Amino acid sequence: MEKEKGEVVYIEKYYRFKCADCPTVKEYPNKDKAQDYGWAIARGGKVCYCPSCALKHRSTGCKGAKPVNNAFKQLTSKG
């Protein structure tokens, strides 16, 4: 496959986000778009959580992730 003279090739850059809790993997064109869709991204940018796992990791303080209870399951269930 040869490139003809004058042909323009565009390379799109995507960020791949993999949830640290579950096997969810998604790609977005920028980090702001991922946050708009509900992904939680740590300050360093290396650890992130999908929208369904992000709720239990928000505002946790020194105690870590919140335990999963019935109210949390109802909130995150798809249906």
Side-chain angles (χ1 to χ4, degrees):
M1 184 172 169
E2 295 180 20
K3 185 173 91 168
E4 295 179 18
K5 187 174 183 179
E7 184 179 350
V8 179
V9 178
Y10 294 101
I11 298 173
E12 293 185 25
K13 182 177 180 182
Y14 282 93
Y15 291 91
R16 181 177 299 222
F17 293 91
K18 183 182 182 305
C19 183
D21 281 352
C22 68
T24 304
V25 178
K26 295 280 185 174
E27 291 182 348
Y28 295 102
N30 56 36
K31 293 179 182 180
D32 293 332
K33 188 62 103 173
Q35 287 180 333
D36 290 344
Y37 281 104
W39 281 77
I41 304 168
R43 288 187 185 168
K46 296 190 179 204
V47 178
C48 58
Y49 300 100
C50 69
S52 61
C53 295
L55 287 175
K56 62 184 175 183
H57 288 277
R58 294 186 197 271
S59 302
T60 57
C62 64
K63 296 183 180 180
K66 298 174 186 171
V68 178
N69 56 24
N70 289 336
F72 177 76
K73 286 180 185 176
Q74 289 174 354
L75 228 143
T76 59
S77 67
K78 298 176 183 173

